[in-house]
Amino acid sequence: MDANVVVLGTDNVGKSALIVRFLTRRFIGEYGDIESLYTHNVVVDGREQTLNIWDAPYSQDPSSESLMYEKRVQWADGFVLVYSICDRASFNAVSRLIQIIKTNKDILGFEKMPIVIVGNKRDLHHRRAVLSEEGWLLALSADCQFYEVSAAENYHSVLMVFHGLVDRIRESRVSVKKLAGIKGIVKSMSAVFTRRRTDSL
Ligand SMILES: Nc1nc2c(ncn2[C@@H]2O[C@H](COP(=O)(O)OP(=O)(O)OP(=O)(O)O)[C@@H](O)[C@H]2O)c(=O)[nH]1
């Protein structure tokens, strides 16, 4: 099964570092700012999943922003929203991104949003500008998952981010299937009752 993942966040928060760490287990330091689409197979809970991961630069141009986000949001099954724990503006941007996703994506009421919020650069705790608690609160209020990681120092926590997201995407697909099943049952039941009513006339 394929799943499309978009990694979003302001400049310099470590989006590429996070993706490269996940794909290669390495941290290479400098990444440039090319827009890239990666395909990667993962095994989560014994099941194979193909992830298409879109690493897109942040838009500084507000006029192109909404269209660009709309396109990305429609394409994606799940989102990794990254901020740097040393950069408050990048954290504020994550709140805005959640709103953009909520308004552009057709998420059903009972579905969990396939979004993981990531506070990166945990190794730079001496320069911390955003408390862990703030990240947790934002995730709680938006019903998202939350991780604080260091793409520079740790592979395992980065792996957890993507595995957590795959879980969430699977859950949301199961919910949609269940809803389709319930709709089907309601449809056939109402067909039976309509038939009975017309039979008895
Ligand atoms: N100390 C530390 N530095 C990091 C970490 N992750 C990324 N960096 C550094 O932060 C800078 C930006 O990383 P990128 O991965 O290019 O960030 P990006 O969000 O893709 O940036 P744009 O390409 O501008 O969108 C680079 O110098 C990285 O080496 C981290 O966990 N800890």
Side-chain angles (χ1 to χ4, degrees), residues 6 20 36 44 52 67 84 95 103 112 127 136 154:
V6 179
V20 170
S36 316
V44 181
N52 303 309
L67 196 71
S84 157
S95 305
T103 46
K112 289 216 178 281
R127 284 172 44 197
W136 281 113
N154 189 281

Side-chain angles (χ1 to χ4, degrees), residues 16-18 20-21 24-32 38 151-152:
S16 307
L18 212 67
V20 170
R21 183 58 114 166
T24 69
R25 297 183 179 227
R26 293 201 171 84
F27 179 74
I28 53 177
E30 290 311 318
Y31 299 87
Y38 304 91

Side-chain angles (χ1 to χ4, degrees), residues 134-152:
E134 293 178 85
W136 281 113
L137 272 177
L138 177 62
L140 205 65
S141 65
D143 196 12
C144 306
Q145 288 176 308
F146 174 66
Y147 297 90
E148 258 193 16
V149 306
S150 164

Side-chain angles (χ1 to χ4, degrees), residues 39-53:
T39 296
H40 188 64
N41 291 328
V42 282
V43 178
V44 181
D45 298 332
R47 282 184 291 164
E48 192 162 321
Q49 177 93 44
T50 302
L51 290 185
N52 303 309
I53 305 171

Side-chain angles (χ1 to χ4, degrees), residues 75-129:
W75 178 82
D77 300 304
F79 303 85
V80 178
L81 305 185
V82 190
Y83 67 91
S84 157
I85 66 153
C86 315
D87 176 359
R88 170 140 313 261
S90 71
F91 178 69
N92 297 338
V94 166
S95 305
R96 286 200 301 278
L97 287 167
I98 292 172
Q99 291 314 314
I100 291 171
I101 293 166
K102 276 189 175 169
T103 46
N104 284 289
K105 192 95 184 156
D106 225 3
I107 303 271
L108 302 168
F110 59 89
E111 260 184 82
K112 289 216 178 281
M113 298 259 278
I115 296 179
V116 182
I117 298 171
V118 178
N120 188 35
K121 307 199 183 183
R122 194 181 181 182
D123 54 298
L124 301 179
H125 44 83
H126 50 287
R127 284 172 44 197
R128 183 186 279 277

